[in-house]
Amino acid sequence: MNGLTKQVALFAFLLFAFHFSVAQSFTHADTLRGTNGPARDWWNVTKYDLHVKFNIEDSTIAGWNIIQIKPLKKGSIIQIDLQAPLMLDNCYITTENPFPLRYNAAPVISTKVIKKDGNAYFLQIHPALGLPHGKMFYLCVYYHGKPRIAVNPPWDGGLIWKKDYNKNPWVSIACQGLGASVWYPCKDYQGDEPDSAEMHISIPDSLVCVGNGRFRGKVNNGDGTTTYDWAVTNPINNYNIIPYIGKYTHFSEQYKGEAGLLDMDYWVLDSNLNKAKVQFKDAPKMMKAFEYWFGPYPFYKDGYKLVDAPHLGMEHQSAIAYGNGYQNGYRGMDLSGSSWGKQFDFIIIHESGHEWFGNNITTKDIADMWVHESFTCYSETLFTEFYYGKDAGSAYVKGIRKNIENEHPIIGKYGVNNEGSGDMYYKGANMIHTIRQVIGNDSLFRKILRGLNKTFYHTTVTGQQVEEYISKQSRINFSKVFDQYLRTTQIPVLEYKLEGFNLQYRYSNCIEGFNLPLKINFKGMRWIKPTTSWQTLNMYPEGDNSFSIDSNFYINTKKVE
């Protein structure tokens, strides 16, 4: 690669706060963070009700989170995550939602911190008999402090305290991978999504706060601050719950979609309003293409938003962070080198694709983040194909292959909050494109994409479930294909010999049992089913003996003598 291409590839691999899967040892803290351990597995989060004041002058926050929990079995120790330097002040459990009564809610079940282990607090419920199974309880956690500041968001996560073009405060958060506990106390485990969430964010009354879901109103506190209330009524992952604070203005439209009228709202800085009204025309175009491929937008009740963000972008559910500079491509560049990447705004298309893959379907363990990123990266191809044709889509997805590094497997280590390799983007997308060629039926392929979003609607899944669904619905066993591309760094090589009128071929550089069918051109287009053993194709001597594979398959070839 040349220097510019390598730089672009590096940015893209780092995109959206992922971490490379490099040889490393994992710690006890990693296990606490990434495992549904004994202080987590006995209770389920059903709602977060956040009340947080942002003190912009000294970059501190303070507030409380009311965590609605439902015990699944007997338990008396609760793990709550809150990252230093934030400090937990107090906690208790009630049988009724204490807001706005707070401490006056009754009865109160005594709860105390019995151990702090890194960023994990372990709370003992008294009496030690625990909470009755099946009932709802409210765990109230009070905290304060100066949270970690993001150095290079969204790749380096934390709080973002910036100024806009007019020197007004502009505040938000990026915390995928790092975890939502960087700014509020929670069960920071991706496999447990709250069924709904509310944010009550207090800020200087000269600013506006935008959040996920629907605006519920605001209250002037009479002290120079205003509290903005936002709420989502659909399941949402912890890292997606994000406020945006700044000098925002608003415009909107309604989109007539598959599930009815969808509210599409755009919150932008005053100075960006005219540019946004032009650039955000990609949003309804995106919605049309993705509803065709993936099925109805998953969050009609909460609406869809694009929000000016003080960083590049992130898939915050129903409130997509936008920071691409109001230009097509990825920061004005075509990551594919095919020219098609300059036909759309990368952040609008990619981040919105996550509403289906990442937000609607969420993996339990971030080691399986390929489900989020591979399908979403491929959504760029599908958008291109929808508007510019199949050849354009194929050129785009083949163009991004140059950014694949194949240094580490796509799947990370389970149970330790490890995301795996950045090849989950470009290599994962090309794996899906290859599988699509084998299926050989675009109607069925589209049915599978839509079926994934319907079958796993608003749920958390394992990568294995997604793999098995695709094999079952296509009636093709892709298990070895998934193993090859997700769990190794080897790109299969088709070795071939041309001897007279015969073509001999086999796979090398692959796992045992790798069995990807291939479409080839040898005296006409035809299919072969290579294995790791040599096979021979005898052809009547007509035409020339040239040989090639369909370039839509992500493999290498090698002619041997």
Side-chain angles (χ1 to χ4, degrees), residues 164-166 170 247-249 251 267-280 307-309 322-326:
D164 66 15
Y165 309 115
N166 296 314
W170 194 14
K247 284 279 191 178
Y248 284 106
T249 188
F251 66 101
W267 291 85
V268 300
L269 299 179
D270 294 344
S271 56
N272 289 334
L273 180 60
N274 292 332
K275 290 184 290 186
K277 286 184 175 180
V278 175
Q279 192 71 9
F280 287 2
V307 187
D308 254 344
Y322 178 84
N324 200 37
Y326 295 93

Side-chain angles (χ1 to χ4, degrees), residues 109-263:
I109 300 171
S110 176
T111 307
K112 66 177 181 178
V113 177
I114 58 171
K115 182 174 70 170
K116 182 179 184 300
D117 193 343
N119 291 323
Y121 290 81
F122 289 86
L123 317 180
Q124 170 74 64
I125 300 169
H126 182 78
L129 294 176
L131 303 177
H133 169 246
K135 294 186 178 181
M136 291 292 184
F137 295 89
Y138 300 86
L139 171 62
C140 309
V141 185
Y142 293 80
Y143 72 106
H144 79 283
K146 190 169 186 175
R148 166 176 166 162
I149 295 175
V151 176
N152 186 29
W155 305 292
D156 172 80
L159 272 287
I160 305 162
W161 309 90
K162 284 192 174 183
K163 301 282 187 180
D164 66 15
Y165 309 115
N166 296 314
K167 307 302 180 183
N168 297 305
W170 194 14
V171 180
S172 192
I173 304 155
C175 59
Q176 184 185 19
L178 176 62
S181 55
V182 75
W183 79 281
Y184 68 90
C186 61
K187 183 180 183 178
D188 210 348
Y189 169 65
Q190 190 163 278
D192 190 359
E193 294 184 333
D195 299 328
S196 62
E198 293 184 18
M199 283 193 296
H200 309 272
I201 306 297
S202 298
I203 60 173
D205 54 19
S206 60
L207 302 174
V208 173
C209 177
V210 183
N212 310 86
R214 303 286 187 177
F215 178 57
R216 293 276 183 89
K218 61 182 181 179
V219 177
N220 189 310
N221 299 314
D223 60 357
T225 68
T226 296
T227 299
Y228 283 79
D229 299 333
W230 290 85
V232 293
T233 57
N234 291 303
I236 184 169
N237 199 272
N238 290 355
Y239 76 83
N240 274 323
I241 303 172
I242 296 292
Y244 304 82
I245 300 166
K247 284 279 191 178
Y248 284 106
T249 188
H250 167 254
F251 66 101
S252 65
E253 62 184 319
Q254 282 193 322
Y255 177 78
K256 188 175 182 181
E258 287 195 18
L261 290 178
L262 172 64
D263 292 325

